[in-house]
């Protein structure tokens, strides 16, 4: 009886060690072991459940989309999906001034022009959280901040600094982009 008990304990220990090894060797992989591309990562974000909570996070997500649009390979359907994500970040007034079909057409033209000039967005940085200027305008909470894109053009590197103005929606409490422009240096 003692031998049987020892064999059962040995089998359980071997199973535990084997299970632990299997777990450790598979940590960090998704279910099918496939890496997610930058475009897929941007498109997987569900803005209904995971909307950027701060002005800085909103511009970071906007920068991620921009970097994908101007650097990555994607289908026409994915381009339209990324454009929809960008439009979802716009304040109602800005979105109304950019009808979807015209917005996508303009975006395609901008991307082609960028590509024809052989530009690549290397990185971007947003204002630090302490440099975000929050204020009230016409009774609504607003914010302004910068995003600086580092762009490679041939062998040279240039930077493009944009200023973004955001407004907080009264209903949802989400920050939305009201406008943006190249910042005066």
């Amino acid at each position: 009886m003692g031998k049987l008990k020892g064999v059962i304990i040995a089998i359980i220990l071997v199973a535990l060690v084997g299970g632990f090894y299997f777990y450790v060797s598979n940590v960090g992989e998704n279910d099918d072991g496939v890496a997610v591309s930058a475009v897929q990562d941007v498109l997987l974000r569900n803005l209904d459940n995971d909307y950027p909570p701060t002005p800085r996070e909103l511009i970071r997500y906007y920068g991620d989309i921009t970097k994908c649009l101007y650097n990555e390979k994607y289908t026409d359907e994915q381009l339209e999906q990324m454009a929809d994500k960008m439009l979802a970040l716009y304040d109602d007034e800005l979105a109304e001034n950019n009808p979807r079909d015209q917005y996508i057409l303009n975006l395609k033209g901008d991307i082609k022009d960028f590509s024809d000039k052989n530009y690549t967005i290397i990185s971007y940085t947003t204002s630090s959280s302490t440099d975000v200027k929050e204020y009230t305008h016409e009774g609504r909470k607003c914010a302004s901040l910068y995003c600086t894109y580092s762009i490679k053009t041939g062998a040279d590197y240039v930077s493009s600094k944009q200023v973004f103005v955001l407004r907080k929606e009264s209903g949802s409490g989400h920050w939305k982009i009201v406008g943006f422009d190249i910042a005066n240096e």
Side-chain angles (χ1 to χ4, degrees):
M1 188 69 146
K3 250 184 176 179
L4 182 61
K5 191 175 182 183
V7 170
I8 292 173
I9 290 173
I11 291 172
I12 291 172
L13 285 175
V14 168
L16 286 173
V17 170
F20 180 74
Y21 174 77
F22 178 78
Y23 172 77
V24 169
S25 66
N26 289 305
V27 169
E29 291 183 14
N30 64 7
D31 291 341
D32 42 1
V34 177
V36 176
S37 74
V39 171
Q40 291 167 328
D41 190 43
V42 161
L43 292 176
L44 285 172
R45 185 166 192 164
N46 181 338
L47 292 177
D48 292 332
N49 300 328
D50 189 21
Y51 194 87
T54 65
R56 190 165 184 253
E57 289 298 316
L58 177 90
I59 299 306
R60 275 183 157 162
Y61 182 58
Y62 184 88
D64 289 343
I65 298 170
T66 302
K67 196 172 174 188
C68 285
L69 283 167
Y70 288 91
N71 288 1
E72 303 294 330
K73 301 276 188 225
Y74 46 81
T75 65
D76 282 342
E77 181 183 353
Q78 288 173 320
L79 180 137
E80 290 182 17
Q81 291 171 345
M82 286 188 279
D84 289 339
K85 295 280 187 186
M86 289 180 108
L87 287 168
L89 302 177
Y90 290 176
D91 184 83
D92 288 342
E93 291 176 29
L94 183 58
E96 286 172 13
N97 290 326
N98 289 283
R100 182 181 186 272
D101 292 340
Q102 187 61 47
Y103 182 74
I104 290 171
L105 194 63
N106 292 344
L107 190 57
K108 285 180 178 180
D110 290 344
I111 292 167
K112 183 179 179 340
D113 186 45
F114 195 83
S115 177
D116 289 347
K117 292 179 180 174
N118 206 22
Y119 291 162
T120 304
I121 298 174
I122 301 301
S123 64
Y124 68 89
T125 55
T126 59
S127 298
S128 69
S129 55
T130 57
D131 290 333
V132 176
K133 308 277 189 269
E134 291 191 24
Y135 56 95
T136 303
H137 179 72
E138 296 178 0
R140 295 190 61 191
K141 197 168 186 177
C142 299
S144 66
L145 66 154
Y146 295 96
C147 184
T148 304
Y149 293 92
S150 298
I151 300 168
K152 183 177 181 188
T153 168
D156 296 324
Y157 292 88
V158 296
S159 64
S160 174
K161 188 174 187 178
Q162 291 186 323
V163 61
F164 286 83
V165 176
L166 296 91
R167 183 166 45 201
K168 196 168 199 173
E169 284 187 328
S170 44
S172 68
H174 292 153
W175 288 98
K176 297 284 188 159
I177 298 171
V178 176
F180 50 91
D181 202 358
I182 302 296
N184 294 330
E185 295 292 335

